[in-house]
């Protein structure tokens, strides 16, 4: 039925999609007989706590939300924050003659459609409406060609949800009891965390090896030009026929893998260079091969996440949020897809644009097709591409910021996928000579020339290794022939050290998970978000660094639940879930095998999966029941060396030597954001040597209270010990005087006099001519003067005690600086940032030196200095700051909205609003119901419409 013919046939049709943004776009493509409304993600789910479970359910059913004794029947409840929306949908349905369920065409979208049908209980005809892009033609075609609900996809998604609930709700409490409260375990998140932890273990065990080689600059003796250089640089390849060792020849223990290679140390390398200084050299061979590079396949979900990370500096979550907006506003096709297939319409659009922008010579004779590489890919979907039958160039979209940058990336990749190969030649030249002491030395140089750039005119893929050479990089060598004489212009000696394996980035972790076939590609962004939010992993630049807490969690899971975090087992479980979706296995017998360990022929192939230690699919319930063998202290303890242990306590990591209460016992906290591979014996000794505990400074001569110095979470401070019986709560509560130490002070040197002076702040400096009091105070951002609501910064902490009234009045006599001060010249120039492609400089700011590219600022760390900072370190600091995202200002906005006349109530109102907004931020899909959170939730609804039900508990 045509969307424009509804008035002729009469009636009203209700179309339900997931997000308000999607509803708004689709509404514009349908006629007046259609009402388009959003469910705002999932409308119901398994209960989040026993309080949400209906009273008729008791025991384990209330705890799990799943009746494991009756075929794993799930208990679904309408989310509390969706009840109003459900009422609205029911009201709209009561006034409608047909219902179209237009949620996304993947397993989760199919499940949302099923839940809508179950809750709304429509008495009118129901149609499943599917589309892969939001364009006028696609929407009208979807209305005209609806299908039935795919119950197999629903069953597969429901099985995943139940499986993840059982895993999370049974294993997480074990972590609470044995490691720390508030932790979580999940079918994919725990395996992803294990990958990151294992990589850090490899870095800790790694031992660097030093090796040396030679680099020679050889001249042809003739004038050069761009097509025929006069010289080339070649690296020493062999001495007397024995290949010179390179980094790949060493193992992680720092030893050579084979004794067949020659390991040069510095002395031997320098001696060889000196012996080759006056030697004659000639070309021994020239090997030329044709070079051909084919275009990359169009994007699917994971390759888009990887490339957006490499080229744009986006995290996986940010990529998906931006892509969601592009999809909902009709700029790209559906962004959760495993397919690299392009429709005939898309191929035609891409080929037309190749001819238009690059010419017919760049267009292959036949359209290119790309076979999917992902097992069980949902091939009904297309690759991610610009929407429509004619692609808009980035300039034609009217987009800006991140949306423009991501659309441009997708557009370039799609167009390039239908272009000709890049072709050229690769050349290897071998150069030989004899040293003065009779040794034969052979050097090699490799070159590459591209004679036809083909698809590279439009797009070149990035690399995870920042030092890797990109495909379009040319290296031209002189035109030489075998036997040509060459002279050595320079012979340099180069020292190298092997490096530990690189930490995962979001891009490389996504790639690793996909290659191991763990989880579904569409869930990787949320999985990485979860392990970051849980504190299992933190970012250092773009690298994912495991916390010490994650070491304890993974240690427990590997030791006592090895099967659950086994890579092969997890991948085979994913295969079984796909088999259930295809109707080749049954869900209930499979779940019974997993949970109870009961055998069943229909359970699925994973019943025989294991990790080599006798584990099999079944028996989760038994595993989590007997916890007596788990030693909580042992699980959270890791040897550092020299009798020092790293322990993960309930309040954070610490190092310890000796037993508690024993003579010589030492203990010191470890910085929580310290990378585990940086905790060496020497650093642990340094931590243990630092003063710890409380330093009693003496009694206050006025009050008689003891004054102590402590090391707190936010730095060292002094405070007074109030007498026993002093009320600590209620209206008569007394708070102890407390003050932070100045930067020039230290715990072990601060005196009672220093402490009393610090606690005397703020100091009254005097009053101005109008009788307004001026005080000197020490604040979060340093020392300052305060007169009424007018604050002025002081230049040093010492001024707090010695500034006079006259000096203070002179400061206030100066006009208050508004806005930005005149720009100071940069302290240092670092080069061009690889992400923003803007110049990076070091500047002096209010809170110390910082690096900036004009868009992002990042303060230098304690170990950084203006003189010593390298360009790479500057880029790393900026990348780390971008990854954290902009600072949230929600609370300030809430405070500003409070009525000005009701000052006493302002703090309470702000606190409530802030709490509501924080709750909303933590829940997915705009879960908060507080009034203050509604605007924020509405804005985020489109990006997180499908996020309210995690696919990995």
């Amino acid at each position: 039925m045509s969307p424009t013919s509804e008035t002729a046939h009469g009636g009203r049709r209700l179309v339900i999609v997931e997000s308000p943004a999607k509803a708004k776009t689709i509404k514009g493509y349908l006629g007046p007989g259609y009402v388009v409304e959003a469910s705002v993600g999932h409308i119901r789910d398994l209960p989040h706590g026993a309080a949400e479970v209906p009273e008729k359910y008791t025991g384990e059913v209330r705890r799990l939300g799943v009746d494991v004794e009756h075929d794993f029947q799930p208990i679904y409840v309408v989310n509390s924050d969706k009840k109003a929306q459900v009422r609205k949908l029911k009201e709209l349905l009561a006034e409608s003659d047909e219902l179209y369920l237009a949620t996304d065409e993947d397993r989760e979208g199919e499940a949302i459609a099923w839940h809508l049908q179950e809750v709304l209980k429509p008495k009118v005809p129901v149609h499943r409406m599917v589309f892969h892009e939001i364009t006028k033609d696609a929407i009208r075609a979807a209305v005209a060609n609806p299908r039935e609900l795919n119950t197999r996809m629903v069953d597969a998604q429901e099985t995943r949800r139940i499986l993840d609930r059982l895993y999370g709700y049974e294993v997480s409490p074990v972590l609470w009891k044995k490691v720390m409260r508030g932790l979580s375990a999940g079918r994919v998140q725990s395996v992803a965390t294990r990958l990151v932890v294992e990589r850090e273990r490899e870095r800790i065990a790694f031992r660097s090896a030093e090796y040396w080689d030679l680099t020679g600059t050889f001249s042809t003796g003739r004038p050069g030009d761009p097509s025929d250089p006069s010289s080339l640089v070649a690296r020493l390849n062999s001495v007397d026929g024995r290949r010179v060792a390179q980094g790949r020849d060493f193992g992680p223990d720092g030893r050579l893998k084979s004794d067949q290679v020659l390991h040069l140390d510095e002395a031997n390398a320098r001696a060889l260079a000196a012996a080759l200084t006056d030697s004659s050299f000639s070309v021994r061979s020239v090997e030329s091969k044709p070079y051909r590079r084919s275009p990359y396949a169009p994007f699917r979900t994971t390759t888009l996440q990887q490339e957006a990370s490499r080229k744009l500096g986006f995290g996986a979550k940010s990529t998906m949020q931006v892509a969601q907006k592009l999809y909902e506003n009709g700029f790209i096709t559906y962004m959760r897809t495993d397919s690299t297939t392009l429709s005939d319409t898309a191929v035609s659009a891409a080929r037309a644009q190749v001819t238009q922008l690059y010419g017919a010579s760049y267009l292959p004779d036949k359209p290119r097709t790309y076979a999917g590489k992902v097992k069980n890919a949902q091939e009904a979907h297309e690759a991610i591409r610009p929407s429509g039958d004619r692609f808009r160039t980035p300039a034609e979209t009217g987009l800006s910021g991140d949306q423009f940058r991501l659309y441009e990336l997708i557009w370039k990749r799609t167009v390039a996928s239908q272009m000709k190969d890049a072709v050229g030649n690769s050349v290897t030249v071998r150069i030989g000579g004899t040293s003065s002491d009779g040794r034969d030395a052979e050097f090699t140089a490799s070159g590459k020339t591209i004679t036809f750039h083909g698809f590279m005119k439009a797009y070149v893929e990035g690399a995870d290794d920042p030092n890797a050479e990109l495909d379009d990089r040319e290296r031209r060598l002189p035109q030489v022939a075998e036997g040509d004489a060459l002279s050595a212009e320079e012979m340099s000696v180069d020292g190298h050290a092997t490096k530990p394996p690189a930490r995962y980035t979001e891009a490389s972790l996504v790639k690793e998970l996909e290659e191991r076939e763990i989880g579904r590609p569409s869930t990787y962004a949320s999985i990485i978000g979860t392990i970051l939010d849980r504190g299992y992993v933190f970012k250092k630049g773009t690298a994912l660094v495991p916390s010490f807490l994650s070491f304890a969690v993974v240690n427990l899971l590997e030791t006592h639940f090895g099967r659950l975090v086994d890579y092969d087992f997890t991948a085979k479980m994913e295969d079984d879930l796909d088999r259930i979706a295809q109707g080749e296995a049954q869900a209930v017998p499979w779940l019974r095998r997993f949970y109870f360990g009961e055998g069943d022929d229909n359970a699925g192939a994973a019943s025989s999966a294991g990790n080599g230690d006798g584990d099999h699919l079944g028996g989760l319930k038994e595993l989590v029941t007997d916890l007596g063998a788990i030693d909580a202290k042992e699980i959270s303890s890791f040897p550092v060396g020299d009798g020092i242990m790293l322990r993960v306590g309930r309040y954070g990591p610490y190092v310890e030597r000796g037993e508690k209460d024993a003579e010589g016992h030492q203990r010191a906290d470890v910085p929580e954001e310290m990378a585990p591979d940086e905790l060496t014996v020497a650093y642990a000794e340094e931590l243990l040597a630092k003063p710890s505990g409380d330093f009693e400074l003496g009694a206050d001569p006025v009050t008689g209270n003891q004054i102590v110095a402590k090391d707190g979470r936010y730095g060292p401070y002094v405070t007074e010990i109030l007498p026993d019986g002093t009320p600590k709560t209620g209206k008569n509560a007394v708070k102890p005087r407390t003050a932070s130490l100045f930067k020039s002070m230290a715990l072990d040197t601060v005196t009672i006099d220093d402490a009393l002076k610090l606690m005397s702040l703020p100091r009254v400096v005097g009053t101005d001519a109008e009788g307004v009091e001026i005080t000197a105070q020490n604040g979060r951002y340093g020392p300052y003067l305060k007169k009424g609501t007018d604050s002025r910064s002081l230049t040093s902490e010492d001024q707090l005690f010695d500034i006079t009234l006259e000096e203070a009045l002179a400061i206030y006599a100066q006009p208050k600086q508004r806005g930005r001060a005149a720009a100071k010249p940069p302290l240092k120039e670092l080069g061009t940032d690889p992400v923003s492609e803007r110049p990076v400089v070091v500047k002096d700011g209010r809170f110390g030196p910082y690096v900036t590219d004009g868009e992002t600022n990042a303060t230098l760390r304690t170990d950084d200095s203006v003189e010593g900072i390298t360009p790479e370190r500057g880029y790393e600091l900026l990348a780390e700051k971008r990854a954290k995202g902009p600072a949230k200002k929600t609370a300030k906005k809430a405070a500003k909205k409070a009525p000005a006349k009701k000052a006493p109530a302002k703090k309470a109102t702000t606190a409530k609003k802030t709490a509501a907004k924080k709750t909303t931020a933590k829940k997915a899909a705009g879960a908060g119901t507080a009034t203050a959170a509604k605007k924020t939730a509405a804005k985020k609804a489109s990006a997180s419409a499908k996020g309210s039900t995690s696919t990995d508990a």
Side-chain angles (χ1 to χ4, degrees):
M1 182 181 293
S2 169
T4 57
S5 63
E6 69 289 324
T7 50
H9 292 81
R12 173 166 143 158
R13 297 166 181 82
L14 175 62
V15 179
I16 302 179
V17 297
E18 296 102 317
S19 74
K22 191 174 173 182
K24 183 178 179 181
T25 306
I26 291 174
K27 190 174 183 179
Y29 296 141
L30 296 174
Y34 288 81
V35 175
V36 186
E37 186 58 52
S39 66
V40 195
H42 289 263
I43 60 166
R44 71 173 186 172
D45 188 18
L46 297 173
H48 294 294
E52 294 184 5
V53 181
E55 292 296 330
K56 64 179 181 179
Y57 297 104
T58 58
E60 285 290 273
V61 182
R62 290 189 70 80
R63 183 176 71 85
L64 296 172
V66 177
D67 190 346
V68 296
E69 300 294 343
H70 296 88
D71 290 342
F72 295 87
Q73 187 68 31
I75 311 302
Y76 289 119
V77 295
V78 174
N79 301 340
S80 59
D81 60 314
K82 298 295 175 64
K83 289 181 179 179
Q85 189 66 13
V86 169
R87 281 196 300 271
K88 181 178 180 180
L89 292 173
K90 285 183 176 180
E91 291 168 1
L92 292 172
L93 181 60
E95 300 171 358
S96 302
D97 301 296
E98 290 181 84
L99 173 62
Y100 284 82
L101 300 174
T103 52
D104 294 330
E105 194 188 12
D106 56 13
R107 295 185 187 93
E108 194 170 358
E110 206 74 13
I112 293 174
W114 177 76
H115 282 294
L116 283 166
Q117 185 169 326
E118 291 290 303
V119 172
L120 298 180
K121 295 181 170 54
K123 297 178 181 178
V124 298
V126 180
H127 309 287
R128 180 73 173 101
M129 173 179 162
V130 294
F131 44 86
H132 312 308
E133 58 182 344
I134 303 178
T135 61
K136 188 173 184 178
D137 291 343
I139 296 303
R140 293 191 170 196
V143 171
N145 300 282
R147 64 164 171 81
E148 295 297 317
L149 201 66
N150 188 328
T151 55
R152 284 183 179 176
M153 289 178 70
V154 174
D155 289 346
Q157 181 63 22
E158 188 175 48
T159 305
R160 286 172 186 273
R161 188 73 189 100
I162 294 169
L163 169 65
D164 290 332
R165 170 55 63 97
L166 296 175
Y167 190 125
Y169 272 50
E170 292 288 19
V171 180
S172 295
V174 178
L175 301 182
W176 304 344
K177 293 174 184 175
K178 299 298 182 178
V179 182
M180 187 186 296
R181 292 288 302 177
L183 300 179
S184 73
R187 177 172 56 90
V188 180
Q189 74 164 13
S190 296
V191 175
T193 303
R194 183 189 174 198
L195 280 170
V196 179
V197 167
E198 282 200 335
R199 180 59 55 87
E200 196 72 8
R201 288 173 178 163
E202 291 172 10
R203 291 175 62 87
I204 293 170
F206 180 82
R207 296 295 176 265
S208 183
E210 185 181 83
Y211 63 96
W212 291 73
D213 59 15
L214 276 61
T215 300
T217 302
F218 300 94
S219 173
T220 61
R222 61 176 184 265
D225 58 52
S227 63
D228 183 19
S230 62
S231 63
L232 74 161
V233 176
R235 187 172 294 278
L236 180 65
N237 181 64
S238 65
V239 177
D240 288 337
R242 193 176 173 194
R243 187 170 62 81
V244 175
Q246 298 295 309
R248 64 180 180 274
D249 296 307
F250 294 89
D253 58 358
R255 298 179 179 179
L256 281 172
K257 298 175 183 177
S258 168
D259 58 5
Q260 300 300 308
V261 295
L262 175 64
H263 182 193
L264 288 178
D265 59 18
E266 182 178 6
N268 285 323
R270 293 193 181 281
L272 179 59
L276 289 170
T277 302
D278 298 322
S279 300
S280 298
F281 294 89
S282 64
V283 177
R284 290 185 174 174
S285 68
V286 179
E287 184 180 2
S288 180
K289 294 180 180 179
Y291 167 85
R292 179 175 292 271
R293 187 73 170 85
S294 297
Y296 322 98
F299 283 130
R300 59 181 191 272
T301 301
T302 53
T303 53
L304 176 64
Q305 291 171 357
Q306 292 168 46
E307 194 69 342
S309 175
R310 298 173 190 133
K311 285 184 175 288
L312 307 181
F314 291 179
K317 184 177 180 180
S318 298
T319 300
M320 297 310 290
Q321 287 174 340
V322 176
Q324 180 95 26
K325 292 176 184 175
L326 290 173
Y327 166 65
E328 291 176 343
N329 289 295
F331 289 103
I332 64 171
T333 53
Y334 190 52
M335 65 288 157
R336 292 185 182 91
T337 175
D338 303 331
S339 175
T340 54
T341 302
L342 291 177
S343 66
D344 292 341
T345 301
V347 170
S348 298
R351 287 173 65 83
Q353 209 146 53
V354 171
T355 304
Q356 176 189 349
L357 298 176
Y358 301 101
S361 61
Y362 283 84
L363 188 69
D365 295 335
K366 295 180 180 179
R368 290 185 179 273
T369 57
Y370 295 89
K373 295 182 179 179
V374 180
K375 187 188 291 187
N376 299 315
Q378 300 180 59
E379 295 295 348
H381 291 170
E382 269 194 85
I384 305 169
R385 62 165 177 86
S387 60
D389 55 9
R390 177 195 171 276
F391 296 163
R392 285 168 283 188
T393 64
E396 293 173 328
T397 61
L399 295 168
S400 61
D402 290 346
Q403 289 189 48
F404 177 88
R405 297 170 70 199
L406 191 64
Y407 178 85
E408 183 181 45
L409 193 71
I410 294 167
W411 174 78
K412 285 182 175 179
R413 178 93 164 208
T414 307
V415 172
S417 73
Q418 291 301 316
M419 296 175 71
K420 281 186 176 180
D421 291 351
V423 295
N425 293 288
S426 62
V427 180
T428 301
V429 176
R430 295 183 181 275
I431 303 165
T434 304
S435 65
S436 58
D437 56 4
R439 285 184 287 176
D440 179 78
E442 187 171 274
F443 293 75
T444 60
S446 297
K448 181 177 72 176
T449 56
I450 300 174
T451 55
F452 178 72
H453 280 77
F455 74 93
M456 291 181 184
K457 280 283 187 181
Y459 186 84
V460 177
E461 189 172 70
D464 291 321
D465 182 357
N467 298 316
E469 188 176 271
L470 299 183
D471 286 336
D472 63 343
R473 174 75 183 275
E474 288 190 293
R475 297 184 310 277
R476 289 188 176 272
L477 299 180
Q479 296 177 15
V480 294
E482 186 175 331
D484 286 356
L486 300 175
S487 60
E489 291 184 339
E490 183 182 359
M491 195 66 65
S492 60
V493 177
D494 305 316
H496 311 273
T498 56
K499 295 180 180 179
R503 292 189 177 99
Y504 287 109
T505 61
E506 288 198 30
S508 59
L509 182 58
V510 164
K511 186 177 180 181
E512 185 75 14
L513 288 168
E514 185 175 35
E515 288 179 350
R516 289 179 180 267
E517 298 173 355
I518 293 170
R520 299 304 306 171
S522 60
T523 67
Y524 291 158
S526 63
I527 293 300
I528 292 174
T530 298
I531 64 177
L532 285 166
D533 293 342
R534 298 292 186 200
Y536 293 150
V537 170
F538 62 92
K539 280 193 169 184
K540 192 172 183 181
T542 58
L544 297 174
V545 185
S547 62
F548 290 106
L549 174 63
S550 68
F551 269 67
V553 169
V554 170
N555 193 23
L556 185 151
L557 293 175
E558 287 177 332
T559 306
H560 298 279
F561 302 95
R563 171 174 51 84
L564 298 183
V565 289
D566 179 70
Y567 302 132
D568 291 338
F569 172 76
T570 307
K572 288 177 181 177
M573 274 208 298
E574 202 65 50
D575 288 343
D576 286 352
L577 291 167
D578 286 327
R579 293 177 67 245
I580 292 170
Q582 295 158 9
E584 298 173 4
Q586 298 177 23
V588 172
W590 190 88
L591 286 168
R592 187 179 296 120
R593 176 77 176 173
F594 172 77
Y595 192 70
F596 291 115
E598 298 173 5
D600 194 297
D601 292 339
N602 294 314
S607 59
S608 60
N611 58 6
D613 58 2
D615 285 343
H616 51 80
L617 181 64
L620 173 64
K621 182 64 177 174
E622 183 180 351
L623 281 174
V624 299
T625 301
D626 182 14
L627 304 181
I630 302 178
D631 185 327
K633 185 175 182 181
E634 182 181 345
I635 283 294
S636 299
S637 300
F638 306 91
V640 178
D642 288 358
I644 303 172
M645 296 291 290
L646 180 283
R647 304 194 194 279
V648 181
R650 293 189 179 272
Y651 304 105
Y654 61 94
V655 285
E656 185 176 47
R657 175 184 275 146
E659 293 298 321
K660 189 177 180 181
D661 299 327
E663 185 177 349
H665 174 258
Q666 293 177 289
R667 171 176 168 157
D669 291 337
V670 174
E672 289 196 22
E673 289 202 355
M674 180 182 189
D677 74 336
E678 295 173 2
L679 183 60
T680 61
V681 173
Y683 187 79
E685 293 279 12
E686 187 180 322
L687 290 174
L688 292 171
K690 285 183 178 179
S692 61
D694 298 350
F695 289 78
E696 295 185 4
L697 304 180
D700 183 339
V702 177
T703 65
N705 295 338
Q706 283 294 319
I707 308 298
V708 296
K710 297 186 174 187
D711 192 10
R713 183 177 180 184
Y714 302 108
Y717 66 100
V718 290
T719 187
E720 63 179 334
I721 306 299
L722 298 176
D724 292 340
T726 302
K728 296 181 180 179
T729 58
K731 31 181 204 180
N732 297 321
V734 178
K735 290 186 177 181
R737 292 173 294 159
T738 300
S740 295
L741 266 60
F742 284 175
K743 293 177 181 177
S744 58
M745 298 176 177
L747 275 176
D748 53 350
T749 58
V750 67
T751 65
I752 182 68
D753 292 335
D754 293 332
L756 294 174
K757 284 180 70 176
L758 290 171
M759 292 191 296
S760 70
L761 295 173
R763 178 176 74 91
V764 177
V765 179
T767 58
D768 66 3
E770 298 176 356
V772 180
E773 190 174 78
I774 301 174
T775 58
Q777 305 189 29
N778 201 15
R780 179 182 177 187
Y781 301 114
Y784 66 99
L785 293 173
K786 187 172 179 66
K787 183 178 73 168
T789 58
D790 191 356
S791 300
R792 305 294 178 94
S793 296
L794 295 174
T795 57
S796 73
E797 292 171 321
D798 291 335
Q799 285 182 288
L800 289 169
F801 299 119
D802 57 29
I803 191 168
T804 64
L805 178 60
E806 290 72 19
E807 291 170 335
L809 292 173
I811 291 174
Y812 275 103
Q814 299 294 322
K816 188 168 184 178
Q817 184 174 304
R818 300 287 180 186
R820 296 178 180 238
K824 298 178 182 178
L827 302 177
K828 190 174 185 179
E829 297 181 357
L830 299 179
T832 302
D833 184 84
V835 174
S836 67
E837 297 182 350
R838 297 168 66 97
V840 178
V841 296
V842 183
K843 288 190 172 184
D844 190 15
R846 180 181 179 188
F847 308 115
Y850 65 97
V851 291
T852 180
D853 64 352
E855 292 179 344
T856 306
N857 300 337
T859 304
L860 267 61
R861 304 291 189 268
T862 305
D863 297 335
D864 298 320
S865 66
V866 176
E867 298 77 17
I869 190 168
T870 62
E872 291 73 20
R873 176 59 175 159
Y875 307 152
E876 181 183 9
L877 290 172
L878 290 174
E880 184 177 344
K881 186 64 181 288
R882 289 190 199 100
K884 290 181 179 178
K888 296 180 180 177
K889 300 182 180 178
T890 311
K892 289 186 179 179
K893 288 182 181 178
K896 288 179 182 177
K897 289 180 181 178
K901 292 183 180 180
K902 297 182 180 180
K906 186 173 182 180
K907 288 186 179 179
T909 305
T910 304
K912 287 181 182 178
K913 288 184 178 181
T914 305
K917 292 193 177 188
K918 285 184 178 178
T919 304
T920 306
K922 288 183 181 178
K923 293 182 181 178
T929 56
T931 303
K934 281 185 178 177
K935 289 186 179 179
T936 305
K939 287 180 182 178
K940 293 185 178 179
S942 63
S944 58
K946 289 174 54 174
S948 58
T949 301
S950 172
T951 54
D952 185 44

